[in-house]
């Protein structure tokens, strides 16, 4: 069994990851982390004790991290110290913080992805294939919608979609429209538009479980890795 730690365990994502992990015989929950100053924070969740100290990661094999950029950096240091592998789904990280993750992967294995959803990563692969063929003959437009609580805009997923499209089409995405409304979990669509037709590739998230399930797949993948930086395309064999 994989000794699994979960950061942000009382957040919406953390709770879903924990619920699914408890049902999966491949995992044993070894550590639950939360921020001491989180409003309404509890000393336990799902009947398991919650820690506010990153050194409590000692003894875990894999940490799933969906939290703030600052907390992610703190836990990155602790994971290097204690030899804990990391699945990082945190968005809104700076280039400097992303660079620190890359550097840490020389010591520990890390899956770092803007979106852990299997469906979204299939979309990434479709965008890569489409952009290679359409190239500069099509104008690329991107639209994304999330709930009003999401702080970063464009989302990490939208940025990744744009990066993939631009890399393989050898041209820039014309615009990225970001909408924040209601409790939308995540809608993403990229349009390849020409004078003769329009190609649309999109994804609609019905539940956060798609991200939670993907992160657990990534944790199982990491259990077999010694070091290195991976993303969900690597995990799913889509490259």
């Amino acid at each position: 069994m994989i000794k699994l730690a979960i950061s942000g365990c009382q957040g919406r994502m953390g709770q879903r990851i924990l619920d699914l992990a408890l049902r999966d015989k491949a995992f044993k929950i070894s550590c639950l982390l939360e921020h001491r100053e989180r409003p309404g924070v509890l000393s336990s969740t799902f009947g398991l004790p919650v820690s506010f100290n990153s050194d409590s990661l000692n003894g875990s094999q894999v940490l799933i991290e969906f939290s703030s950029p600052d907390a992610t950096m703190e836990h990155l240091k602790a994971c290097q110290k204690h030899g804990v592998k990391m699945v990082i789904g945190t968005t809104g990280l700076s280039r400097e913080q992303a660079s620190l993750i890359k550097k840490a992967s020389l010591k520990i294995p890390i899956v770092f992805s803007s979106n852990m959803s299997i469906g979204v990563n299939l979309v990434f692969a479709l965008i890569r294939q489409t952009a290679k063929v359409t190239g500069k003959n099509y104008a690329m437009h991107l639209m994304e919608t999330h709930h009003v609580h999401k702080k970063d805009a464009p989302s990490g997923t939208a940025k990744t979609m744009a990066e993939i499209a631009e890399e393989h089409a050898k041209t820039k995405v014309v615009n990225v429209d970001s909408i924040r409304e209601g409790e939308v979990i995540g809608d993403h669509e990229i349009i390849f538009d020409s004078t003769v037709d329009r190609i649309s590739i999109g994804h609609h998230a019905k539940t956060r479980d798609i991200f939670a399930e993907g992160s657990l797949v990534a944790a199982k993948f990491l259990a077999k890795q010694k070091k290195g930086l991976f993303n969900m395309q690597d995990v799913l064999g889509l490259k």
Side-chain angles (χ1 to χ4, degrees):
M1 294 199 340
I2 300 168
K3 295 179 181 178
L4 183 69
I6 300 171
S7 173
C9 63
Q10 293 180 8
R12 286 175 293 184
M13 272 301 303
Q15 289 183 65
R16 295 309 306 141
I17 294 167
L18 177 55
D19 184 30
L20 294 176
L22 286 170
R23 303 182 200 180
D24 192 328
K25 294 181 180 179
F27 297 104
K28 177 182 179 181
I29 304 302
S30 55
C31 175
L32 296 178
L33 285 172
E34 202 30 281
H35 196 287
R36 188 181 299 275
E37 297 180 5
R38 176 185 175 88
V41 67
L42 303 172
S43 60
S44 66
T45 188
F46 281 75
L48 298 170
V50 173
S51 175
F52 308 109
N53 184 348
S54 60
D55 278 332
S56 61
L57 286 167
N58 190 18
S60 295
Q61 290 175 284
V62 181
L63 167 67
I64 296 181
E65 180 75 42
F66 281 87
S67 62
S68 69
D70 288 344
T72 300
M73 291 300 102
E74 177 186 342
H75 299 154
L76 182 67
K77 292 178 182 177
C79 283
Q80 291 177 82
K81 176 181 177 182
H82 299 298
V84 181
K85 306 171 184 185
M86 288 187 79
V87 175
I88 302 177
T90 304
T91 59
L93 294 162
S94 67
R95 287 186 179 181
E96 181 182 357
Q97 290 169 327
S99 179
L100 290 173
I101 290 172
K102 185 176 182 179
K103 184 178 179 180
S105 70
L106 298 173
K107 184 176 181 180
I108 58 172
I110 298 173
V111 171
F112 179 31
S113 182
S114 61
N115 195 304
M116 296 289 170
S117 160
I118 293 172
V120 166
N121 278 276
L122 287 170
V123 166
F124 289 163
L126 290 172
I127 292 172
R128 182 169 63 247
Q129 184 176 5
T130 303
K132 284 180 180 179
V133 175
T134 58
K136 297 180 180 180
N137 297 317
Y138 285 68
M140 301 183 295
H141 307 267
L142 213 157
M143 297 170 285
E144 58 103 356
T145 304
H146 281 88
H147 52 83
V148 294
H149 314 289
K150 188 167 181 62
K151 296 178 181 179
D152 55 320
S155 67
T157 300
K159 289 179 180 177
T160 300
M161 290 171 71
E163 288 168 1
I164 293 171
E166 290 176 349
E167 177 186 354
H168 294 285
K170 308 302 180 183
T171 187
K172 293 290 185 181
V173 169
V174 175
N175 64 293
V176 179
D177 293 330
S178 296
I179 300 171
R180 298 291 176 264
E181 62 181 17
E183 294 297 330
V184 178
I185 294 172
D187 290 344
H188 298 85
E189 182 180 21
I190 186 168
I191 293 172
F192 296 81
D193 195 24
S194 76
T195 57
V196 294
D197 65 356
R198 172 180 289 192
I199 304 167
S200 176
I201 302 173
H203 183 271
H204 168 70
K206 294 182 178 180
T207 167
R208 286 184 178 81
D209 280 8
I210 63 170
F211 312 120
E213 289 171 353
S215 70
L216 293 175
V217 171
K220 292 174 183 176
F221 169 86
L222 276 186
K224 301 175 183 179
Q225 309 303 321
K226 299 296 184 182
K227 61 182 179 179
L229 184 62
F230 308 93
N231 57 32
M232 285 300 288
Q233 299 284 297
D234 297 309
V235 172
L236 299 172
L238 294 174
K239 285 189 172 179

